[in-house]
Amino acid sequence: MNPGTGTVLDSVVQFCRDTGMTTVFGNPGSTELRMFRDWPEDFTYVLGLQESVAVAMAAGHALGTGRAALVSLHSAGGVGHALGAVFNAYRDRVPLVVMAGQQSRPLIQLRPFLGADEPAQFPRPYVKFSRQPDRAADVPAVLAEAHRIAMSHPRGPVFVSVPEDDWDQPAPPVEPRAVHGAFTADADALSTLAARLDACERPALVVGPGVDDEYALAEVRTLAERTRAAVWISPMSGRSGFPESHPLFQGFLPPAADRLTACLEAYDLVVVLGAPLFTYHFHTESPPLPARTELFHLDCDPGQAAWLPTGTSIVTTLKPALRQLAALLGESESDRKPPPLREAPLPVSAVDDITPELVLDLLQERLPRDRVLVEEAPSHRDAIHARVRVDLEGGYLTTGSGALGWGLPLAVGRALADRRRLVCVVGDGSALYSVQGLWTAARHRVPVTYVLLDNGGYAAVRALGHRIDIAPVPGTEIGGVDFTALAAGFGCPAAYVERPAELPAALDRALAQGDDDGPYLLHVRVTGIGTDTDSDSDSGTEGGALDSRDR
């Protein structure tokens, strides 16, 4: 490309270069062709074979780099395919700049083939910003505004629709701008919270995805240790946020009011950090918290603060607020008794069949502590949380919102961010939503080891059906899918294991793949669903990241 021509394309390319968005994820179509003229040598185009795969890969890349990732989608149809993944990115606060092609401006009024009607409305409400610029010359400035909004807390996806004839029109360049988005709470509010922490007897912290998003783990750990607070992860969190081997860590809160209340009834003060505490998946009539428990909620999203039905909310980014809070604490907590240690699950053994717990125990023994774990296995989430402990900041990624097909391509983008091997544990049902991501992984030799737990269907749906006295549940059997052959067809080496005696060696081979070896898939036939749960049912999930059908 010639940066001196002064076109929309020139200005956009330079802006993307200035902001580090030189890896572009997408699935191209006719309305994007002019965007690709004289494709710059320092840009990489990562092709996803379906638009939701492209968005999820971009999300993984954004989470790995800490920068917004650029996604190129094809007009109305491509945006429609991608919306489930855009929904996940919005709920999980992932900064994405989504650009979609549109038919040329003279054609728009004629309702053309592939044209998008009201394109700015299409992805709402699951984007922070959505616009089709009024003039071609405005495209670079609108893109720059969208990028700044995507990167402002709470971060999330933004959308810009670009008519295909805009790219060759003249447009001024966009000067890079810095926006420092951290902001802190009112000093009096933090002083009040510090006084409550000093005076309470049994404090608890509830850590949400905002802690990981704002890189505030060190500050949370300092606060927990200073106050000897029990630490829980919020329901349905898509991120890590506290080292799970830490003696103060207590576990993962369930998405049902009665069970959540039972977990928190021992505490007289609960401080929620970067999380919507009351994310439920099951309806109960219980109050959100025990009557005697005082609640404080710190988050950068004023919408969450307004919605929370009880307690005191402090609108703030976490890093500066937690540092100020630590400085305000007294020393009275030094005599406070720490919470009990979290109980470790009993080890399992198998004779005839492989259970999910056996796979996860072996994975826990072998997984390096600096290895990122991506997970989308809703049937086995309780067992994963109980048996595979993640201590690395940013070391655990899943979907906190529930649209399936996220995990497999998310792992591709995350591994592309730093080219270090990671492990993705994925269920058979989840994998079939986005199995095309294996092609991209193979094409770019992405260092991902997939451990695919195959229980032959949507086991979580069957379990939830049992919970409400529905059995059998139609449409929950899959079976007969040869994932090893499917992976090989996409160019990804794979192996299959179904006998317990074969599993350790097979898992060793899968995890021994190097950072330069490309993807590898281990297809493991397992029986049943995970049984590690504090639920009074056999749902096998602490809520799991399930879609509307709870697959």
Side-chain angles (χ1 to χ4, degrees):
M1 292 182 181
N2 181 0
T5 57
T7 64
V8 168
L9 179 59
D10 296 328
S11 296
V12 166
V13 166
Q14 188 57 49
F15 174 76
C16 291
R17 191 175 282 127
D18 291 339
T19 54
M21 294 193 299
T22 57
T23 300
V24 182
F25 298 84
N27 186 280
S30 57
T31 55
E32 294 77 57
L33 285 178
R34 298 192 199 195
M35 173 185 171
F36 302 130
R37 180 180 284 122
D38 299 326
W39 186 249
E41 292 183 357
D42 58 327
F43 278 50
T44 301
Y45 190 91
V46 180
L47 173 62
L49 300 186
Q50 205 265 6
E51 287 86 349
S52 65
V53 171
V55 172
M57 290 191 300
H61 197 263
L63 293 172
T65 63
R67 302 188 303 266
L70 182 62
V71 189
S72 173
L73 302 180
H74 179 42
S75 192
V79 175
H81 287 159
L83 281 180
V86 173
F87 166 74
N88 277 347
Y90 181 79
R91 292 291 195 206
D92 290 351
R93 301 183 178 182
V94 183
L96 298 178
V97 177
V98 180
M99 284 200 307
Q102 167 68 302
Q103 279 289 9
S104 64
R105 290 184 185 270
L107 275 178
I108 290 174
Q109 291 303 113
L110 303 178
R111 299 291 179 92
F113 179 67
L114 294 176
D117 297 335
E118 300 186 31
Q121 297 301 316
F122 198 6
R124 291 189 182 275
Y126 299 115
V127 288
K128 295 181 63 183
F129 172 97
S130 186
R131 196 170 153 195
Q132 180 171 286
D134 294 329
R135 305 179 306 155
D138 296 332
V139 170
V142 169
L143 182 66
E145 180 184 1
H147 176 269
R148 291 190 289 268
I149 291 173
M151 288 297 292
S152 298
H153 294 296
R155 303 193 302 176
V158 295
F159 177 82
V160 179
S161 172
V162 182
E164 62 96 18
D165 55 336
D166 282 3
W167 292 103
D168 297 330
Q169 301 303 309
V174 177
E175 294 296 326
R177 286 186 55 214
V179 176
H180 298 281
F183 57 93
T184 192
D186 176 76
D188 290 341
L190 292 177
S191 294
T192 298
L193 175 54
R196 296 288 197 277
L197 282 166
D198 283 337
C200 70
E201 295 181 3
R202 294 177 305 280
L205 306 181
V206 176
V207 171
V211 170
D212 194 52
D213 186 52
E214 298 183 39
Y215 305 101
L217 186 149
E219 288 78 8
V220 173
R221 182 169 181 160
T222 296
L223 179 64
E225 292 173 350
R226 284 281 307 276
T227 60
R228 297 189 180 180
V231 181
W232 295 83
I233 300 293
S234 64
M236 313 296 283
S237 179
R239 312 273 191 96
S240 54
F242 198 80
E244 296 175 28
S245 297
H246 195 285
L248 294 173
F249 184 71
Q250 300 295 294
F252 298 79
L253 289 175
D258 54 347
R259 293 167 54 202
L260 189 150
T261 302
C263 289
L264 298 179
E265 65 183 356
Y267 311 109
D268 57 344
L269 177 66
V270 172
V271 182
V272 182
L273 303 171
L277 176 60
F278 306 113
T279 300
Y280 299 139
H281 190 56
F282 306 108
H283 175 69
T284 65
E285 299 296 338
S286 298
L289 279 178
R292 66 181 181 278
T293 301
E294 188 175 12
L295 174 69
F296 279 80
H297 172 240
L298 280 66
D299 192 62
C300 62
D301 186 354
Q304 288 291 348
W307 166 83
L308 203 69
T310 188
T312 298
S313 286
I314 301 175
V315 179
T316 181
T317 53
L318 296 176
K319 250 185 187 310
L322 292 173
R323 288 173 179 171
Q324 292 179 58
L325 185 60
L328 291 167
L329 290 173
E331 300 299 328
S332 59
E333 73 275 4
S334 59
D335 296 329
R336 185 177 291 146
K337 183 179 179 181
L341 294 176
R342 182 187 182 203
E343 292 186 10
L346 295 175
V348 297
S349 58
V351 177
D352 298 320
D353 299 302
I354 298 175
T355 64
E357 291 79 13
L358 178 62
V359 179
L360 297 170
D361 282 352
L362 293 173
L363 185 62
Q364 167 66 18
E365 293 173 3
R366 290 160 169 77
L367 192 66
R369 299 282 76 83
D370 62 347
R371 189 69 50 91
V372 171
L373 177 67
V374 177
E375 176 265 307
E376 189 174 273
S379 299
H380 314 298
R381 181 148 306 145
D382 279 353
I384 291 168
H385 284 331
R387 295 179 178 276
V388 182
R389 300 199 171 187
V390 177
D391 294 326
L392 178 69
E393 183 172 21
Y396 173 74
L397 301 172
T398 185
T399 170
S401 51
L404 291 188
W406 183 249
L408 189 151
L410 187 81
V412 175
R414 177 61 186 84
L416 276 172
D418 58 9
R419 286 286 176 180
R420 297 189 64 206
R421 182 160 296 274
L422 59 78
V423 172
C424 178
V425 177
V426 62
D428 53 332
S430 297
L432 288 170
Y433 278 76
S434 53
V435 71
Q436 307 97 318
L438 293 176
W439 180 89
T440 306
R443 186 175 182 85
H444 290 268
R445 295 191 60 79
V446 178
V448 179
T449 292
Y450 290 99
V451 179
L452 190 147
L453 303 180
D454 178 5
N455 57 21
Y458 301 122
V461 180
R462 293 195 296 267
L464 289 167
H466 178 77
R467 179 188 179 97
I468 57 176
D469 299 321
I470 298 176
V473 180
T476 57
E477 301 294 331
I478 301 177
V481 179
D482 187 343
F483 286 97
T484 305
L486 192 59
F490 285 121
C492 174
Y496 176 75
V497 60
E498 62 179 348
R499 308 304 301 171
E502 303 164 349
L503 179 60
L507 198 55
D508 285 339
R509 285 192 297 273
L511 296 176
Q513 305 295 310
D515 292 344
D516 297 325
D517 290 336
Y520 185 91
L521 184 142
L522 179 62
H523 177 190
V524 185
R525 182 69 174 122
V526 297
T527 58
I529 62 176
T531 57
D532 291 308
T533 177
D534 57 1
S535 171
D536 57 0
S537 78
D538 64 350
S539 70
T541 70
E542 43 106 354
L546 310 180
D547 71 354
S548 60
R549 292 167 291 179
D550 298 320
R551 292 181 173 179

